[in-house]
Amino acid sequence: MNPLTPLRRWAAQSLLRRLWLWMTVIVVGVGIATASLSYWFGYQEANELQDAQLRQIASLAHRWGHPPQGVVEPRGADVDQDARIVVQRLDLPAPGHGLHLPPGLADGMHVVESDGHAWRVYVRGGAHGLIAVAQRTDLRTDAAIDSAQRTLFPLLALIPLLALLAAWVVRRALRPVRRLAAQVDARDDDRLDALPLDDVPQEIRPFLASINRLLMRLAAMLERERRFVADAAHELRTPIAALSLQAENLEHAALPDDTRARLRSLQQGLARTRAVVEQLLSLARAQSGRGVALRPTDPAQVLHHVIEDLMPVAQQRRIDLGLERNEGALVLADPTQLYTLLRNGLDNALRYTAQGGRVDLAVFTEVSGNGVKRVNIDISDTGPGIPQQDLARAFEPFERLDRAAESMGSGLGLAIMRNIAQNLGGSIQLDNRPTGGLRLRYSQTALPSTASAMAEPPPLPSARA
């Protein structure tokens, strides 16, 4: 396997990684090339500088007018042996301690072997004789390498710093994209308005514009679906009402027992169809979010109206229904929509609770972890509950979990409640009670106490069936 394959796979998972990887490769490549050129130029410059020193020494020896009569070689503890330079007359007999240079060296630079070492020799003739200025090449090479390395190390140290700086620059450049992604993740499911293009890089704007056009088409499609559902449900109300009336008229006719049993089944089917149509209309209104008039509302009072409307159902099924706790506060809500939400919740609890069971209601406030005061409305029943793995899909439209075989539900009640909760800015959740049954909780931020003067009259007394 190619050793670069894991690195490419790692980079392909993120645009930030890909940009950083390519910028790092470019920085490293350019850095190595620059360092190599800098090393080579530094090495050449050091050698040229040392050659220039040899020329200057030879020139100074001639200008003094007294060139050396033999060999001049610095000695002593204060002499740097790495920089030792030897000056020698070539037109005189070679002394015993001097360099053994070949005769007949022309003027200029030469590399000569003497005493087991290579020497860089500059020869210059003049009125005062022929002078050779020499320096060992290995010492010159070491000095040149040391000088070149001094230019190399800063560049090599700069490469990782530039790689880290490239990562920081890329991350900072993509910050608006990450901020936009966080905003999209925080959106509700029903928000299909266009994404903001402020502070978005120019290269990503065409992509976001395409997403916005897709959101517009999706919103238009969903609106057509909602309008179709609402129109279809509205058109079905009249023929269903006519069929129900004809079925009621047939009850007064003399019918055989088997025909009357079939008539009762027909009436039950019509009743369920009528309920489904009404639920479809409620769902269409809740999803559209139109006609929501928010004002300070006492949820306990709305809940009392719901209790009054559904009390006959509780009495018919001999269910113990009552408001156990009433310690609420005002919320900013549409009373009609809040009534629909609570009525659907209580209707579900009564429908799925067996005869002789119990449904408890509670309104109370609590302070959340971030210090916000919220109003909670609990509807708890003693029904069969919902399996834990099915709680997440209970709010989906037409999702019937068969909590009670005799239920006449349509599977729309919880979906309607969820959409209303979103319209009101609240939240709704389901969980199973430890003692059995189901608890539905609607929660919404409470208004400050200064809003009490704008509220409706105090709630009605609690009722118990």
Side-chain angles (χ1 to χ4, degrees):
M1 184 180 66
N2 190 338
L4 296 179
T5 300
L7 185 61
R8 291 174 179 171
R9 189 177 303 155
W10 173 80
Q13 297 174 356
S14 168
L15 180 61
L16 175 63
R17 295 176 184 174
R18 193 178 306 172
L19 290 174
W20 176 82
L21 179 61
W22 280 108
M23 291 185 68
T24 301
V25 169
I26 293 173
V27 167
V28 171
V30 172
I32 292 177
T34 304
S36 301
L37 290 175
S38 176
Y39 181 86
W40 186 79
F41 285 129
Y43 182 83
Q44 295 296 326
E45 184 70 21
N47 280 324
E48 291 176 2
L49 179 61
Q50 293 179 101
D51 287 345
Q53 290 176 347
L54 298 181
R55 294 189 185 96
Q56 290 176 9
I57 292 173
S59 176
L60 289 175
H62 277 287
R63 288 184 181 182
W64 283 340
H66 299 284
Q69 301 303 311
V71 176
V72 177
E73 183 176 357
R75 299 179 182 277
D78 59 341
V79 175
D80 184 3
Q81 296 299 317
D82 293 341
R84 186 167 59 96
I85 297 176
V86 177
V87 181
Q88 181 174 331
R89 285 285 296 270
L90 296 181
D91 53 352
L92 296 177
H97 63 278
L99 298 177
H100 297 86
L101 302 176
L105 287 177
D107 289 0
M109 289 289 179
H110 306 275
V111 177
V112 178
E113 291 286 339
S114 177
D115 299 332
H117 297 286
W119 292 79
R120 181 74 166 174
V121 181
Y122 177 69
V123 178
R124 178 172 177 175
H128 302 286
L130 192 63
I131 297 176
V133 184
Q135 187 179 23
R136 282 173 53 177
T137 57
D138 56 345
L139 301 180
R140 287 166 51 92
T141 301
D142 291 343
I145 290 176
D146 182 67
S147 177
Q149 287 177 347
R150 293 177 186 275
T151 64
L152 176 64
F153 290 148
L155 289 174
L156 293 179
L158 190 61
I159 290 176
L161 180 61
L162 288 177
L164 295 176
L165 184 61
W168 179 81
V169 169
V170 171
R171 180 175 291 274
R172 185 174 181 84
L174 294 179
R175 183 183 299 174
V177 180
R178 294 197 303 273
R179 188 185 304 117
L180 181 61
Q183 294 176 0
V184 174
D185 287 339
R187 283 192 171 197
D188 295 331
D189 296 340
D190 58 344
R191 280 198 59 187
L192 296 176
D193 51 302
L195 300 176
L197 299 180
D198 300 336
D199 298 330
V200 175
Q202 188 69 31
E203 294 77 9
I204 303 179
R205 288 196 176 188
F207 177 68
L208 291 182
S210 300
I211 293 180
N212 286 337
R213 288 192 292 269
L214 176 61
L215 290 175
M216 292 176 58
R217 293 194 297 269
L218 183 59
M221 182 187 68
L222 292 178
E223 182 61 26
R224 287 195 299 268
E225 290 183 356
R226 292 168 184 165
R227 189 180 301 114
F228 171 78
V229 171
D231 294 344
H234 182 75
E235 292 297 327
L236 286 173
R237 294 175 71 179
T238 300
I240 291 175
L243 288 174
S244 300
L245 181 60
Q246 295 295 333
E248 291 177 2
N249 292 335
L250 286 176
E251 286 186 345
H252 303 291
L255 299 174
D257 293 340
D258 58 342
T259 304
R260 191 167 296 277
R262 294 178 182 177
L263 178 61
R264 283 194 296 269
S265 298
L266 174 63
Q267 289 176 326
Q268 292 176 357
L270 289 173
R272 179 172 179 177
T273 303
R274 185 168 57 250
V276 170
V277 170
E278 294 297 333
Q279 293 281 56
L280 284 174
L281 285 172
S282 299
L283 179 62
R285 286 193 293 266
Q287 288 180 338
S288 65
R290 297 174 180 173
V292 178
L294 302 179
R295 65 172 184 267
T297 304
D298 185 355
Q301 183 177 8
V302 176
L303 186 59
H304 273 287
H305 291 310
V306 174
I307 294 174
E308 289 179 351
D309 291 345
L310 295 180
M311 184 65 70
V313 178
Q315 292 174 341
Q316 181 182 5
R317 295 178 56 84
R318 299 192 304 276
I319 294 176
D320 187 6
L321 170 64
L323 183 61
E324 296 294 316
R325 187 177 177 186
N326 185 6
E327 302 170 0
L330 299 182
V331 297
L332 190 64
D334 184 330
T336 302
Q337 295 234 355
L338 183 59
Y339 171 86
T340 303
L341 185 152
L342 297 178
R343 180 183 173 87
N344 275 279
L346 183 55
D347 182 67
N348 279 344
L350 294 175
R351 181 182 298 115
Y352 293 113
T353 300
Q355 293 192 12
R358 181 185 179 96
V359 175
D360 295 325
L361 308 175
V363 182
F364 60 96
T365 60
E366 66 177 3
V367 179
S368 59
N370 54 6
V372 177
K373 184 179 180 181
R374 298 185 67 85
V375 177
N376 297 328
I377 304 175
D378 285 358
I379 302 176
S380 305
D381 61 53
T382 57
I386 296 177
Q388 193 67 29
Q389 67 272 14
D390 294 336
L391 285 176
R393 61 187 182 91
F395 290 95
E396 297 298 324
F398 299 104
E399 190 68 49
R400 299 193 61 208
L401 303 178
D402 296 330
R403 287 210 294 161
E406 68 275 10
S407 167
M408 296 291 292
S410 61
L412 292 173
L414 290 175
I416 294 172
M417 296 170 66
R418 181 184 62 179
N419 282 277
I420 293 177
Q422 293 174 351
N423 293 339
L424 299 181
S427 62
I428 190 168
Q429 65 181 32
L430 278 174
D431 53 40
N432 291 298
R433 302 170 62 191
T435 57
L438 196 68
R439 186 198 68 176
L440 182 143
R441 169 171 292 181
Y442 173 71
S443 180
Q444 188 175 341
T445 303
L447 289 176
S449 57
T450 54
S452 300
M454 304 171 60
E456 298 180 1
L460 302 174
S462 61
R464 170 69 66 178

